[in-house]
Amino acid sequence: MDPTTHYLLSSINTFILVPITFLCRILLLFIIVILCRRWQVSSKKMSKVTVVVLGDIGRSPRMQYHALSLEKHGFHVDIVGYGDSTPSQKILDSKRIVLHSLTKDTFSNYFPRLFAYFVKVIMQSLILSTKLLFKVGASEYIFMQNPPCIPCMFICWLFGIFNGSKVIIDWHNYGYTILGMSLGKNHKLVRLAHWYEKVVGQLVYSDICVTKAMQKDLEDNWHIHAIVLYDRPPEIFKPLSINEKHDLFSKLKHEYPEFGFSPNDDSTFCTISKDGSVTARDNRPAFIVSSTSWTEDEDFSILLNALKMYDKTKLNNENLPDVICAITGKGPMKKYYLNEISKIDWKHVQIVTPWLTAEDYPLLIGSADLGVCLHTSSSGLDLPMKVVDMFGCGVPVAAIGFNCLEELVQDNINGVIFNNENTLHDQLCELLDGFPRNQQTLTNMRNNLKMFRQSTWSKNWDEIVLPLFKS
């Protein structure tokens, strides 16, 4: 064989045949692993569900409720997500629910913003894939929360193929619309995210969504057939008795003095304890609660400005009560708003921003006279869970209006809808006029919420979602 031919054959072997052989071996190994994992799923009938939340598990109540419902029906549940806050105690106590905390990516922080986004996607893909592959194992179902869609949706779909798992998406909102709030809706990345979410969303086994408006939008524009599961609060969200309110505020007043009345007795701002008997204070302030994650999609200046106007109106109107407003939650804008609050010279309004345990949060909501919601949907197609919690406690809500809010809040029936601070101020004055002696409007709204409270999460879930896991 002449040297040229020998060199040519050697080059073909080195640069073509060897890589092809290596790739074939990798492919064969990959197929064997897929077959093994699919056999693991199909042969053992594990009744196992992997719940994926590419966010804080403790601040994803709907997915926690899904996990508890699955556990109630005998499924073993693995929850994958970030462990920034503590989830429900029922989740922690369950023997069939296992939490898998994801490591947070910090590597992307060292890059410019746009490039950091791509680095973050790569890192999240590696972290999530590693957790699903080596810690969680194969399962019959992968049940994911959307958003975020990138990279979670593709990774879950890929592992669905890899494991032979059925992938179910619970659509809380659209990821591309949330991205559009920071980049602008016409940004190239937003358009790419829109295409990605639409395409991958059509590949999964089944879909759930939170409103009829979203169901219609998914059907009309993306050809995705989703079933609607409205949010409903668990049984822990309920109205409180006067004794329960007293116990709660007696405990909280040591850390938050606004909830007390006098440091020298056992009373609170709304209750009086005497000779072992608890009664409501006759001239108590109205107690307003607002829950927030302190993000840019909630403009809390609306509430602050409305309360400032109320504070001035109260100076000339003795029929209006003082107000204590509790704003719960953590988030990036909290420091900014606390600074704004500290600049205001309040006369008849007090604002307190408590951070509560998972057990105390529903108790605080159940103690409120009125709730305020400033959540605006990036897509206009989802509903605020915080309103659901308030309704579960029988608390009427003043909520800022957007497209599909009427699926939850019915104006002047179970709450009121406002569009600006002036309207909110007027509504506060109207609802609280004569409080606490006259609460006729609030009482009518509470009575109208009794029907809502009869439709429980467990009942709806068993009728709507359980068939997806039993088919």
Side-chain angles (χ1 to χ4, degrees):
M1 182 182 299
D2 63 89
T4 302
T5 305
H6 180 272
Y7 176 77
L8 182 61
L9 291 175
S10 177
S11 298
I12 291 173
N13 182 67
T14 302
F15 295 106
I16 299 178
L17 296 181
V18 170
I20 289 177
T21 302
F22 176 76
L23 289 175
C24 288
R25 290 174 179 174
I26 294 295
L27 181 60
L28 179 61
L29 179 62
F30 185 70
I31 292 172
I32 292 172
V33 171
I34 287 180
L35 292 175
C36 288
R37 290 177 74 90
R38 283 177 174 256
W39 173 82
Q40 184 185 10
V41 171
S42 61
S43 65
K44 294 186 178 182
K45 305 297 181 186
M46 293 182 297
S47 295
K48 179 178 175 181
V49 181
T50 300
V51 175
V52 180
V53 180
L54 202 60
D56 183 9
I57 298 170
R59 294 167 68 184
S60 304
R62 181 174 165 104
M63 299 310 288
Q64 291 185 63
Y65 302 157
H66 280 308
L68 289 169
S69 295
L70 287 163
E71 180 229 24
K72 185 183 76 172
H73 288 281
F75 289 91
H76 175 88
V77 182
D78 290 282
I79 306 180
V80 181
Y82 295 111
D84 296 339
S85 58
T86 305
S88 163
Q89 192 61 42
K90 289 185 178 180
I91 295 282
L92 299 176
D93 293 341
S94 174
K95 295 181 179 179
R96 286 202 296 267
I97 298 178
V98 180
L99 295 172
H100 301 271
S101 184
L102 294 171
T103 304
K104 281 208 167 184
D105 159 55
T106 56
F107 185 67
S108 59
N109 296 337
Y110 298 99
F111 296 92
R113 182 184 177 188
L114 192 59
F115 188 63
Y117 181 78
F118 290 99
V119 175
K120 184 177 182 179
V121 168
I122 293 171
M123 294 302 298
Q124 284 185 330
S125 299
L126 292 173
I127 292 168
L128 179 58
S129 298
T130 301
K131 186 70 71 173
L132 291 174
L133 185 61
F134 296 108
K135 291 293 184 180
V136 178
S139 60
E140 286 180 280
Y141 299 91
I142 297 175
F143 192 13
M144 68 156 283
Q145 170 187 292
N146 186 67
C149 60
I150 301 174
C152 188
M153 190 181 285
F154 176 75
I155 298 298
C156 289
W157 171 76
L158 188 64
F159 270 82
I161 295 175
F162 191 62
N163 295 334
S165 308
K166 296 175 180 177
V167 180
I168 300 174
I169 297 177
D170 189 6
W171 296 80
H172 297 193
N173 201 348
Y174 295 150
Y176 81 91
T177 61
I178 294 177
L179 185 63
M181 291 180 67
S182 57
L183 297 180
K185 63 181 182 180
N186 294 319
H187 194 281
K188 290 181 180 179
L189 275 181
V190 176
R191 293 202 298 270
L192 177 63
H194 183 191
W195 173 85
Y196 159 90
E197 197 167 8
K198 177 180 178 180
V199 171
V200 182
Q202 294 173 341
L203 302 177
V204 302
Y205 166 69
S206 191
D207 300 90
I208 302 168
C209 64
V210 293
T211 63
K212 291 181 180 178
M214 181 174 284
Q215 180 189 46
K216 186 176 187 303
D217 189 74
L218 286 168
E219 177 74 41
D220 293 348
N221 298 317
W222 290 9
H223 307 295
I224 291 175
H225 310 288
I227 57 176
V228 178
L229 177 70
Y230 283 123
D231 282 316
R232 287 295 183 271
E235 290 73 15
I236 57 173
F237 286 92
K238 59 183 180 180
L240 262 62
S241 68
I242 189 66
N243 287 306
E244 289 172 317
K245 292 180 183 180
H246 179 76
D247 291 341
L248 173 68
F249 293 121
S250 294
K251 180 176 72 172
L252 293 179
K253 72 178 184 179
H254 297 293
E255 186 172 358
Y256 305 102
E258 295 88 346
F259 294 139
F261 184 77
S262 170
N264 300 320
D265 61 27
D266 191 34
S267 299
T268 72
F269 78 94
C270 66
T271 60
I272 298 173
S273 177
K274 187 176 181 180
D275 299 328
S277 176
V278 177
T279 57
R281 191 177 293 280
D282 290 337
N283 60 342
R284 67 186 182 277
F287 184 45
I288 297 175
V289 170
S290 186
S291 308
T292 180
S293 52
W294 297 103
T295 53
E296 293 180 354
D297 63 342
E298 293 183 334
D299 183 2
F300 256 80
S301 64
I302 295 175
L303 176 58
L304 294 184
N305 290 334
L307 288 174
K308 281 197 293 184
M309 288 187 284
Y310 180 92
D311 197 54
K312 292 180 180 179
T313 303
K314 160 64 180 167
L315 292 173
N316 301 309
N317 189 340
E318 293 183 356
N319 285 329
L320 293 177
D322 288 354
V323 165
I324 293 180
C325 180
I327 306 173
T328 69
K330 288 183 178 179
M333 300 291 290
K334 183 174 183 177
K335 186 176 180 180
Y336 166 80
Y337 280 112
L338 288 180
N339 184 55
E340 293 298 305
I341 291 169
S342 67
K343 297 176 182 177
I344 303 171
D345 182 23
W346 303 103
K347 301 297 184 184
H348 296 283
V349 173
Q350 294 184 78
I351 295 181
V352 56
T353 56
W355 176 246
L356 302 165
T357 64
E359 289 70 34
D360 284 344
Y361 173 72
L363 299 179
L364 187 81
I365 299 297
S367 303
D369 300 302
L370 178 68
V372 175
C373 176
L374 291 158
H375 169 88
T376 54
S377 169
S378 63
S379 64
L381 300 172
D382 71 305
L383 296 172
M385 186 68 190
K386 63 197 73 177
V387 172
V388 174
D389 294 340
M390 292 171 184
F391 279 1
C393 292
V395 176
V397 173
I400 192 166
F402 58 88
N403 286 350
C404 66
L405 184 63
E406 67 277 0
E407 289 190 41
L408 181 61
V409 181
Q410 297 164 350
D411 199 22
N412 291 311
I413 296 177
N414 56 18
V416 291
I417 297 174
F418 61 90
N419 294 309
N420 54 56
E421 57 205 42
N422 294 312
T423 306
L424 177 57
H425 161 260
D426 295 343
Q427 290 169 342
L428 291 176
C429 292
E430 182 179 348
L431 292 171
L432 299 179
D433 186 41
F435 184 94
R437 298 179 306 280
N438 176 21
Q439 300 187 50
Q440 188 60 51
T441 303
L442 290 173
T443 299
N444 290 339
M445 290 178 177
R446 292 187 194 108
N447 290 334
N448 292 332
L449 284 170
K450 290 179 180 178
M451 185 69 70
F452 176 89
R453 296 182 59 241
Q454 290 174 0
S455 177
T456 64
W457 170 272
S458 296
K459 179 182 178 182
N460 285 353
W461 196 92
D462 290 354
E463 292 176 357
I464 296 170
V465 180
L466 183 59
L468 297 179
F469 295 90
K470 294 291 188 181
S471 60

